[in-house]
Amino acid sequence: MVVLRTTSEIETMREAGRVVARTLDAVAAEVRPGVRLVDLDALAADTIAAHGAKPSFLGYLPRFAGTPYPGVLCLSVNEAIVHGVPDKRVLRDGDILSIDCGAHVDGYHGDAAVTVPVGAVDAAGLQLIETVFAALAAGIAAARPGGRMGDIGYAIEAACRPYGIPHGWGGHGIGTAMHDDPHVPNTGKAGRGLALREGLVIAIEPMVIEGGGDRTRALRDGWTITTTDGSRAAHAEHTVAITADGPVVLTRS
Ligand code: MF3
Ligand code: CO
């Protein structure tokens, strides 16, 4: 069921979103060759707690996974697209890293992600990252009352070209649950799908795959989603409220 949120609920989600944004900033500032993923995760836990919020991902058990999520962040390196589990892996010069963070305040969630280069990344990798942020901006711009869900997917799909878009993965409604209705596809037809209304709050999260493939698989950890052919992927996400004034990004610091 699609729930529309009141102005005061959206204000609380903005507080959660602000914590998420600050946490992403703090973690991104520590990204460099030689850093372990677990240490970034610990920094995120501390930052969220210091702001009086709670992590959304830790212990989360959705239908698509067999075990509760073990981290605060999802950290997805290179061919990992999303839901990479923070482990003792050490970041290397030239890696690209998706940092995905969720936090809740008074039971209202915020969810956002960035992809950042580790040290010196080649031009193709930087272009991949730039494209996913452009796709996110295009998707956000389409999230306005009077529009349709297909407008968002269409805008994202157009901005992702010529990269591949992981089949079946997308964004989601968000509020008192981190994953809620509606699904927010990263492809679509303009003018089709759910009518976008004031009070709808969604996480928009484009993903792109270098080389144009769209196939994904889950690793044996039950969580990490990777490309099937080892191609690199990038991912970016914001939590966005659709308001009378247009889209409002709730996960901006
Ligand atoms: N932004 C990711 C998503 O919406 C967060 C997943 S959290 C996890 O899929 F706990 F499921 F990993
Ligand atoms: Co999300």
Side-chain angles (χ1 to χ4, degrees):
M1 195 181 66
V2 173
V3 180
L4 301 178
R5 301 290 166 190
T6 64
T7 310
S8 94
E9 286 181 294
I10 290 172
E11 266 322 301
T12 307
M13 293 185 75
R14 192 201 289 274
E15 282 179 43
R18 207 174 280 136
V19 176
V20 168
R22 295 213 174 126
T23 304
L24 288 177
D25 287 348
V27 171
E30 292 305 317
V31 168
R32 64 181 68 92
V35 166
R36 296 189 312 170
L37 299 182
V38 279
D39 297 328
L40 297 176
D41 201 58
L43 172 62
D46 290 347
T47 309
I48 291 170
H51 286 93
K54 295 198 170 64
S56 299
F57 299 175
L58 188 64
Y60 182 60
L61 186 51
R63 253 169 312 218
F64 59 77
T67 56
Y69 191 70
V72 169
L73 300 173
C74 296
L75 296 172
S76 308
V77 183
N78 297 338
E79 76 283 358
I81 308 167
V82 287
H83 303 171
V85 175
D87 59 11
K88 290 185 176 147
R89 178 175 182 157
V90 174
L91 289 171
R92 298 174 59 178
D93 190 48
D95 283 343
I96 64 173
L97 172 69
S98 158
I99 311 168
D100 192 341
C101 180
H104 57 98
V105 169
D106 297 337
Y108 287 88
H109 295 262
D111 184 9
V114 294
T115 296
V116 296
V118 181
V121 168
D122 61 290
L126 296 176
Q127 184 62 40
L128 189 71
I129 294 173
E130 217 171 275
T131 301
V132 87
F133 282 108
L136 177 58
I140 292 169
R144 30 186 77 260
R148 298 283 192 136
M149 189 63 80
D151 301 347
I152 298 176
Y154 177 81
I156 290 172
E157 187 176 353
C160 286
R161 255 173 231 125
Y163 297 113
I165 297 175
H167 183 76
W169 293 92
H172 48 91
I174 179 168
T176 49
M178 176 173 59
H179 286 151
D180 214 337
D181 290 337
H183 179 59
V184 180
N186 287 330
T187 60
K189 289 193 166 74
R192 301 285 188 85
L194 181 78
L196 303 178
R197 295 173 56 191
E198 233 180 286
L200 183 64
V201 184
I202 53 177
I204 300 178
E205 49 182 316
M207 303 153 211
V208 288
I209 301 176
E210 198 171 16
D214 69 351
R215 307 267 316 271
T216 67
R217 69 189 188 93
L219 294 190
R220 297 257 283 277
D221 63 18
W223 280 101
T224 311
I225 305 298
T226 72
T227 61
T228 52
D229 60 2
S231 298
R232 292 182 295 186
H235 166 229
E237 176 177 21
H238 270 308
T239 296
V240 180
I242 297 174
T243 77
D245 302 326
V248 175
V249 176
L250 302 180
T251 38
R252 198 103 71 192
S253 41

